[in-house]
């Protein structure tokens, strides 16, 4: 299944939202939601598959493939789940926070053999 890539303007807006959050600014909930959704869509576009579910509640979740893993999960929740909050996700997606640092600081929950976004980030 091919997923459509988010347009450049939406990714630009998400990048600006991530920068505002990083600098401590308050961001309107609709802007935060849009930034999370578009960056997850970009992650899914770049990593097609259904092996890992990436959740950023309350806004969105996507299923992606894992590099070097050919297994595909087809029913229910995948055995590999990554979950984080919106601000942490946007920091990861923008490269302001590294995967290993987020895991070490317990800002990300990751369960399952392939539940890693190492090498897939940043998305813009």
């Amino acid at each position: 299944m091919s997923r459509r890539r988010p347009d450049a303007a939406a990714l630009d807006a998400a990048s600006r939202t991530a920068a505002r959050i990083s600098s401590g600014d308050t961001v309107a909930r609709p802007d935060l939601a849009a930034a999370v959704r578009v960056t997850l869509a970009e992650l899914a576009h770049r990593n097609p598959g259904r092996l890992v579910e990436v959740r950023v509640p309350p806004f969105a979740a996507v299923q992606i493939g894992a590099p070097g893993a050919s297994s595909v999960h087809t029913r229910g929740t995948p055995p590999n789940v990554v979950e984080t909050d919106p601000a942490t996700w946007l920091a990861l997606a923008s490269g302001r926070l590294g995967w290993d640092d987020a895991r070490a600081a317990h800002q990300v929950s990751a369960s399952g053999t392939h539940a890693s976004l190492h090498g897939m980030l940043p998305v813009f």
Side-chain angles (χ1 to χ4, degrees):
M1 172 192 346
S2 174
R3 293 188 177 124
R4 196 175 77 130
R5 176 173 232 153
D7 67 35
L11 285 168
D12 245 10
S15 178
R16 288 191 304 277
T17 299
R20 289 179 52 212
I21 290 170
S22 178
S23 69
D25 289 349
T26 301
V27 175
R29 184 176 171 90
D31 294 339
L32 182 60
V36 167
R37 289 181 184 125
V38 75
T39 52
L40 283 174
E42 178 67 10
L43 178 72
H45 174 77
R46 291 182 181 190
N47 301 280
R50 294 184 304 247
L51 186 60
V52 180
E53 185 164 286
V54 182
R55 300 174 182 168
V56 183
F59 299 122
V62 295
Q63 291 185 0
I64 62 171
S70 60
S71 175
V72 175
H73 181 78
T74 57
R75 274 181 57 95
T77 301
N80 304 289
V81 177
V82 172
E83 186 169 329
T84 191
D85 64 275
T88 300
W89 167 249
L90 291 175
L92 286 163
S94 66
R96 289 176 173 85
L97 177 64
W99 175 254
D100 293 334
D101 293 334
R103 291 280 294 144
H106 304 284
Q107 293 175 282
V108 174
S109 167
S111 62
T113 308
H114 299 290
S116 174
L117 301 181
H118 196 277
M120 296 183 204
L121 301 169
V123 298
F124 53 72

mmCIF file of all heavy atoms in Angstrom, residues 7 16 18 25 28 31-33 40 45 54 57 59-60 65-66 68 72 86 100 102 105-106 108 118-119 124:
data_model
loop_
_atom_site.group_PDB
_atom_site.id
_atom_site.type_symbol
_atom_site.label_atom_id
_atom_site.label_comp_id
_atom_site.label_asym_id
_atom_site.label_seq_id
_atom_site.Cartn_x
_atom_site.Cartn_y
_atom_site.Cartn_z
ATOM 1 N N ASP A 7 2.146 17.364 1.553
ATOM 2 C CA ASP A 7 2.713 18.416 0.713
ATOM 3 C C ASP A 7 3.735 19.243 1.488
ATOM 4 O O ASP A 7 3.752 19.262 2.719
ATOM 5 C CB ASP A 7 1.633 19.277 0.065
ATOM 6 C CG ASP A 7 0.839 20.108 1.055
ATOM 7 O OD1 ASP A 7 1.402 20.582 2.062
ATOM 8 O OD2 ASP A 7 -0.359 20.308 0.814
ATOM 9 N N ARG A 16 7.606 24.654 11.569
ATOM 10 C CA ARG A 16 7.461 25.897 12.338
ATOM 11 C C ARG A 16 6.806 25.636 13.693
ATOM 12 O O ARG A 16 7.207 26.202 14.712
ATOM 13 C CB ARG A 16 6.668 26.936 11.539
ATOM 14 C CG ARG A 16 7.459 27.526 10.370
ATOM 15 C CD ARG A 16 6.761 28.733 9.755
ATOM 16 N NE ARG A 16 5.397 28.464 9.312
ATOM 17 C CZ ARG A 16 5.072 27.924 8.143
ATOM 18 N NH1 ARG A 16 6.024 27.592 7.290
ATOM 19 N NH2 ARG A 16 3.805 27.731 7.826
ATOM 20 N N ALA A 18 6.948 22.821 15.412
ATOM 21 C CA ALA A 18 7.960 22.148 16.237
ATOM 22 C C ALA A 18 8.960 23.155 16.797
ATOM 23 O O ALA A 18 9.356 23.063 17.966
ATOM 24 C CB ALA A 18 8.680 21.082 15.413
ATOM 25 N N ASP A 25 7.066 28.327 23.246
ATOM 26 C CA ASP A 25 5.818 29.017 22.903
ATOM 27 C C ASP A 25 4.621 28.094 23.086
ATOM 28 O O ASP A 25 4.730 26.877 22.946
ATOM 29 C CB ASP A 25 5.833 29.488 21.447
ATOM 30 C CG ASP A 25 6.792 30.635 21.215
ATOM 31 O OD1 ASP A 25 7.293 31.204 22.196
ATOM 32 O OD2 ASP A 25 7.039 30.952 20.033
ATOM 33 N N ALA A 28 -1.533 26.473 19.535
ATOM 34 C CA ALA A 28 -2.953 26.134 19.518
ATOM 35 C C ALA A 28 -3.128 24.642 19.239
ATOM 36 O O ALA A 28 -2.393 24.055 18.437
ATOM 37 C CB ALA A 28 -3.684 26.950 18.455
ATOM 38 N N ASP A 31 -3.188 23.446 15.619
ATOM 39 C CA ASP A 31 -1.865 23.496 14.978
ATOM 40 C C ASP A 31 -1.007 22.320 15.436
ATOM 41 O O ASP A 31 -0.277 21.718 14.642
ATOM 42 C CB ASP A 31 -1.153 24.804 15.298
ATOM 43 C CG ASP A 31 -1.846 26.017 14.692
ATOM 44 O OD1 ASP A 31 -2.623 25.841 13.729
ATOM 45 O OD2 ASP A 31 -1.612 27.138 15.188
ATOM 46 N N LEU A 32 -1.086 22.000 16.718
ATOM 47 C CA LEU A 32 -0.344 20.863 17.268
ATOM 48 C C LEU A 32 -0.821 19.560 16.624
ATOM 49 O O LEU A 32 -0.013 18.740 16.179
ATOM 50 C CB LEU A 32 -0.503 20.817 18.787
ATOM 51 C CG LEU A 32 0.237 19.720 19.537
ATOM 52 C CD1 LEU A 32 1.738 19.826 19.329
ATOM 53 C CD2 LEU A 32 -0.104 19.791 21.030
ATOM 54 N N ALA A 33 -2.127 19.405 16.552
ATOM 55 C CA ALA A 33 -2.705 18.201 15.942
ATOM 56 C C ALA A 33 -2.278 18.063 14.482
ATOM 57 O O ALA A 33 -1.884 16.976 14.037
ATOM 58 C CB ALA A 33 -4.227 18.230 16.044
ATOM 59 N N LEU A 40 3.634 12.323 11.145
ATOM 60 C CA LEU A 40 3.417 10.876 11.150
ATOM 61 C C LEU A 40 3.134 10.369 9.738
ATOM 62 O O LEU A 40 3.599 9.292 9.357
ATOM 63 C CB LEU A 40 2.269 10.501 12.086
ATOM 64 C CG LEU A 40 2.594 10.499 13.577
ATOM 65 C CD1 LEU A 40 1.324 10.263 14.393
ATOM 66 C CD2 LEU A 40 3.647 9.467 13.927
ATOM 67 N N HIS A 45 4.983 7.462 4.984
ATOM 68 C CA HIS A 45 5.319 7.496 3.558
ATOM 69 C C HIS A 45 6.736 6.974 3.323
ATOM 70 O O HIS A 45 6.981 6.216 2.389
ATOM 71 C CB HIS A 45 5.187 8.922 3.022
ATOM 72 C CG HIS A 45 5.661 9.058 1.613
ATOM 73 N ND1 HIS A 45 4.915 8.639 0.530
ATOM 74 C CD2 HIS A 45 6.816 9.538 1.109
ATOM 75 C CE1 HIS A 45 5.605 8.856 -0.577
ATOM 76 N NE2 HIS A 45 6.755 9.412 -0.250
ATOM 77 N N VAL A 54 3.103 3.518 15.506
ATOM 78 C CA VAL A 54 3.611 4.713 16.185
ATOM 79 C C VAL A 54 2.393 5.518 16.617
ATOM 80 O O VAL A 54 1.587 5.932 15.781
ATOM 81 C CB VAL A 54 4.518 5.555 15.260
ATOM 82 C CG1 VAL A 54 5.060 6.765 16.012
ATOM 83 C CG2 VAL A 54 5.659 4.701 14.714
ATOM 84 N N PRO A 57 -0.841 10.036 21.048
ATOM 85 C CA PRO A 57 -2.180 10.406 21.509
ATOM 86 C C PRO A 57 -2.220 11.847 21.978
ATOM 87 O O PRO A 57 -1.212 12.360 22.446
ATOM 88 C CB PRO A 57 -2.436 9.439 22.674
ATOM 89 C CG PRO A 57 -1.113 8.891 23.068
ATOM 90 C CD PRO A 57 -0.178 9.086 21.905
ATOM 91 N N PHE A 59 -3.767 12.533 19.099
ATOM 92 C CA PHE A 59 -3.949 13.029 17.735
ATOM 93 C C PHE A 59 -3.885 12.000 16.616
ATOM 94 O O PHE A 59 -4.619 12.110 15.649
ATOM 95 C CB PHE A 59 -2.956 14.152 17.449
ATOM 96 C CG PHE A 59 -3.122 15.327 18.355
ATOM 97 C CD1 PHE A 59 -2.079 15.762 19.133
ATOM 98 C CD2 PHE A 59 -4.338 15.980 18.450
ATOM 99 C CE1 PHE A 59 -2.233 16.857 19.980
ATOM 100 C CE2 PHE A 59 -4.512 17.064 19.294
ATOM 101 C CZ PHE A 59 -3.445 17.506 20.069
ATOM 102 N N ALA A 60 -2.986 11.023 16.693
ATOM 103 C CA ALA A 60 -2.841 10.131 15.543
ATOM 104 C C ALA A 60 -1.999 8.910 15.883
ATOM 105 O O ALA A 60 -1.255 8.902 16.877
ATOM 106 C CB ALA A 60 -2.200 10.874 14.370
ATOM 107 N N GLY A 65 6.734 0.284 8.388
ATOM 108 C CA GLY A 65 7.637 -0.842 8.263
ATOM 109 C C GLY A 65 8.901 -0.584 9.064
ATOM 110 O O GLY A 65 9.153 0.531 9.497
ATOM 111 N N ALA A 66 9.659 -1.629 9.272
ATOM 112 C CA ALA A 66 10.938 -1.513 9.976
ATOM 113 C C ALA A 66 12.053 -1.925 9.012
ATOM 114 O O ALA A 66 11.937 -2.966 8.360
ATOM 115 C CB ALA A 66 10.959 -2.406 11.209
ATOM 116 N N GLY A 68 14.912 -3.628 7.245
ATOM 117 C CA GLY A 68 15.499 -4.953 7.386
ATOM 118 C C GLY A 68 14.551 -6.018 7.893
ATOM 119 O O GLY A 68 14.939 -7.173 8.034
ATOM 120 N N VAL A 72 5.046 -8.706 8.183
ATOM 121 C CA VAL A 72 3.945 -7.748 8.148
ATOM 122 C C VAL A 72 2.856 -8.241 9.076
ATOM 123 O O VAL A 72 2.446 -9.394 9.012
ATOM 124 C CB VAL A 72 3.387 -7.588 6.712
ATOM 125 C CG1 VAL A 72 2.167 -6.696 6.715
ATOM 126 C CG2 VAL A 72 4.450 -7.026 5.805
ATOM 127 N N PRO A 86 2.765 14.525 22.114
ATOM 128 C CA PRO A 86 2.940 15.367 20.924
ATOM 129 C C PRO A 86 4.222 16.212 20.918
ATOM 130 O O PRO A 86 4.902 16.293 19.893
ATOM 131 C CB PRO A 86 1.690 16.255 20.921
ATOM 132 C CG PRO A 86 0.662 15.431 21.613
ATOM 133 C CD PRO A 86 1.418 14.697 22.695
ATOM 134 N N ASP A 100 17.775 7.878 20.846
ATOM 135 C CA ASP A 100 18.433 7.300 22.025
ATOM 136 C C ASP A 100 18.262 8.187 23.252
ATOM 137 O O ASP A 100 18.044 7.686 24.355
ATOM 138 C CB ASP A 100 19.923 7.047 21.750
ATOM 139 C CG ASP A 100 20.138 5.964 20.701
ATOM 140 O OD1 ASP A 100 19.254 5.086 20.550
ATOM 141 O OD2 ASP A 100 21.190 5.998 20.039
ATOM 142 N N ALA A 102 15.754 10.288 23.830
ATOM 143 C CA ALA A 102 14.356 10.206 24.244
ATOM 144 C C ALA A 102 14.086 8.908 25.006
ATOM 145 O O ALA A 102 13.384 8.908 26.020
ATOM 146 C CB ALA A 102 13.431 10.305 23.025
ATOM 147 N N ALA A 105 15.655 9.099 28.486
ATOM 148 C CA ALA A 105 14.913 10.003 29.367
ATOM 149 C C ALA A 105 13.481 9.517 29.628
ATOM 150 O O ALA A 105 12.704 10.223 30.263
ATOM 151 C CB ALA A 105 14.880 11.403 28.762
ATOM 152 N N HIS A 106 13.138 8.335 29.108
ATOM 153 C CA HIS A 106 11.804 7.753 29.288
ATOM 154 C C HIS A 106 10.707 8.653 28.730
ATOM 155 O O HIS A 106 9.604 8.703 29.262
ATOM 156 C CB HIS A 106 11.536 7.419 30.755
ATOM 157 C CG HIS A 106 12.566 6.525 31.344
ATOM 158 N ND1 HIS A 106 12.626 5.172 31.077
ATOM 159 C CD2 HIS A 106 13.619 6.787 32.157
ATOM 160 C CE1 HIS A 106 13.645 4.644 31.705
ATOM 161 N NE2 HIS A 106 14.275 5.604 32.362
ATOM 162 N N VAL A 108 9.721 8.212 25.635
ATOM 163 C CA VAL A 108 9.114 7.363 24.617
ATOM 164 C C VAL A 108 8.924 5.972 25.210
ATOM 165 O O VAL A 108 9.822 5.462 25.867
ATOM 166 C CB VAL A 108 10.033 7.256 23.373
ATOM 167 C CG1 VAL A 108 9.489 6.260 22.375
ATOM 168 C CG2 VAL A 108 10.222 8.601 22.713
ATOM 169 N N HIS A 118 14.993 4.447 15.400
ATOM 170 C CA HIS A 118 16.392 4.798 15.161
ATOM 171 C C HIS A 118 16.669 4.711 13.664
ATOM 172 O O HIS A 118 16.342 3.728 13.010
ATOM 173 C CB HIS A 118 17.305 3.838 15.927
ATOM 174 C CG HIS A 118 18.683 4.334 16.044
ATOM 175 N ND1 HIS A 118 19.624 4.190 15.067
ATOM 176 C CD2 HIS A 118 19.294 5.027 17.045
ATOM 177 C CE1 HIS A 118 20.749 4.756 15.441
ATOM 178 N NE2 HIS A 118 20.575 5.262 16.644
ATOM 179 N N GLY A 119 17.234 5.751 13.111
ATOM 180 C CA GLY A 119 17.540 5.777 11.680
ATOM 181 C C GLY A 119 16.381 6.250 10.801
ATOM 182 O O GLY A 119 16.570 6.421 9.599
ATOM 183 N N PHE A 124 11.838 15.800 8.746
ATOM 184 C CA PHE A 124 12.009 17.030 7.946
ATOM 185 C C PHE A 124 13.209 17.786 8.448
ATOM 186 O O PHE A 124 13.735 17.521 9.485
ATOM 187 C CB PHE A 124 10.773 17.929 7.907
ATOM 188 C CG PHE A 124 10.199 18.309 9.258
ATOM 189 C CD1 PHE A 124 10.845 19.201 10.103
ATOM 190 C CD2 PHE A 124 9.000 17.784 9.665
ATOM 191 C CE1 PHE A 124 10.300 19.568 11.326
ATOM 192 C CE2 PHE A 124 8.448 18.136 10.880
ATOM 193 C CZ PHE A 124 9.090 19.012 11.717
#
